[in-house]
Amino acid sequence: MIRIIMHGCNGKMGQVISGMIAEDPELEVTAGIDPRDDGHNPYPVFSDIEFCDVEADCLIDFSTATVVDKMMDYCVAHKLPCVICTTGLSKEQLEKVEEVSKSVAVLRSANMSLGINLLLKLLKKAAGVLAPAGFDIEVLEKHHNLKLDAPSGTALALADSVNEELGGTYEYVFDRSGRRLQRPQKEIGISAVRGGTIVGEHDVIFAGTDEVVTFSHTAYSKAVFGRGAVQAAKFLAGKSAGLYDMSDVIEAALD
């Protein structure tokens, strides 16, 4: 049995993950961390991680950037592997993640979805075949009308995956309205749509002469990110140190 501390347990994703773990015979939540608690969880909840004295094998973090530093300090002190799902970390915090990974195992990814991370791998293979054959490459992403950033971090990660396979030789174009010229071959167009309650849709389009190949991923709920976090915790438990991401979880599943 893998024992989990759920950091941010009473947030929307914390509750989703707690429910998933409750149905998984390989896992159990032994403690939660959240500044607010009404006692409804079947495990003890601590208002601050420094008060947590419960044994665990891994921590899953779905909290806020303001408390991630203290969480990482706790994991180092207790030699506790951690899955960091919180986004919006500063440059200094990202540097701290790398430093902490020298002492304990840390897994962090821009997108925790298993589907997206498998797609990142498939895109490399597609780019290596289709780009040299003259296919143009476009990325289209759609999200709800409350999302502040555009394009999404996932859209950029998809473009980066393609570009890495192509030696980083392609330029990104976010807006073509200010120019009137034929599309250069070595560019990746990235477009964003915002509207309604769209959870997340990403299309990567390879457009060639007389044929189009499209890779698509649609998230119908945020549960897909929780499912990835649970698989990441299973992967990370028992590891002593190192910096990992979801591509490592995918690789382990494919082996």
Side-chain angles (χ1 to χ4, degrees):
M1 182 73 72
I2 299 173
R3 302 165 296 177
I4 303 294
I5 292 176
M6 187 64 237
H7 191 242
C9 64
N10 285 330
K12 183 176 293 186
M13 287 306 305
Q15 287 294 287
V16 168
I17 293 171
S18 293
M20 289 179 177
I21 291 176
E23 297 177 356
D24 193 319
E26 298 179 31
L27 303 169
E28 70 170 327
V29 178
T30 54
I33 313 296
D34 206 287
R36 52 185 183 78
D37 183 52
D38 59 9
H40 73 278
N41 293 294
Y43 48 78
V45 176
F46 300 88
S47 61
D48 192 299
I49 195 167
E50 67 179 353
F51 303 135
C52 182
D53 57 358
V54 176
E55 293 291 324
D57 303 300
C58 188
L59 178 147
I60 297 177
D61 165 63
F62 249 114
S63 59
T64 62
T66 57
V67 296
V68 167
D69 288 281
K70 181 179 282 190
M71 179 274 294
M72 288 192 285
D73 292 339
Y74 178 92
C75 289
V76 170
H78 292 78
K79 299 297 181 185
L80 183 65
C82 58
V83 178
I84 301 178
C85 306
T86 296
T87 58
L89 302 186
S90 67
K91 178 182 177 182
E92 292 74 20
Q93 287 177 310
L94 293 175
E95 291 173 350
K96 184 169 182 175
V97 168
E98 293 193 17
E99 188 63 29
V100 166
S101 70
K102 298 175 183 177
S103 301
V104 296
V106 178
L107 189 147
R108 178 188 169 276
S109 280
N111 188 307
M112 298 301 297
S113 159
L114 290 169
I116 283 290
N117 283 278
L118 178 58
L119 182 56
L120 290 170
K121 289 190 172 295
L122 296 175
L123 286 174
K124 287 183 177 292
K125 294 183 180 297
V129 174
L130 299 177
F135 281 66
D136 297 320
I137 305 166
E138 296 283 317
V139 178
L140 172 64
E141 59 98 342
K142 304 175 187 178
H143 283 88
H144 52 85
N145 57 22
L146 298 179
K147 187 171 179 61
L148 300 179
D149 58 318
S152 68
T154 299
L156 292 172
L158 294 169
D160 286 344
S161 183
V162 169
N163 209 6
E164 286 169 11
E165 182 66 23
L166 303 175
T169 58
Y170 278 54
E171 293 185 2
Y172 297 166
V173 177
F174 302 101
D175 182 9
R176 295 195 176 94
S177 63
R179 62 177 185 172
R180 292 178 62 83
L181 52 85
Q182 183 176 337
R183 183 193 198 281
Q185 185 177 0
K186 287 196 170 185
E187 74 174 26
I188 299 175
I190 304 176
S191 304
V193 173
R194 295 289 174 269
T197 58
I198 302 170
V199 175
E201 297 180 16
H202 293 87
D203 293 323
V204 181
I205 303 164
F206 293 87
T209 302
D210 299 328
E211 63 178 330
V212 175
V213 179
T214 302
F215 291 83
S216 297
H217 178 273
T218 301
Y220 291 103
S221 79
K222 292 185 177 181
V224 298
F225 310 121
R227 194 166 295 109
V230 168
Q231 293 303 313
K234 291 182 179 182
F235 167 84
L236 207 63
K239 291 181 170 54
S240 57
L243 183 58
Y244 303 90
D245 60 26
M246 287 300 291
S247 66
D248 297 299
V249 179
I250 298 295
E251 283 290 344
L254 293 174
D255 287 345

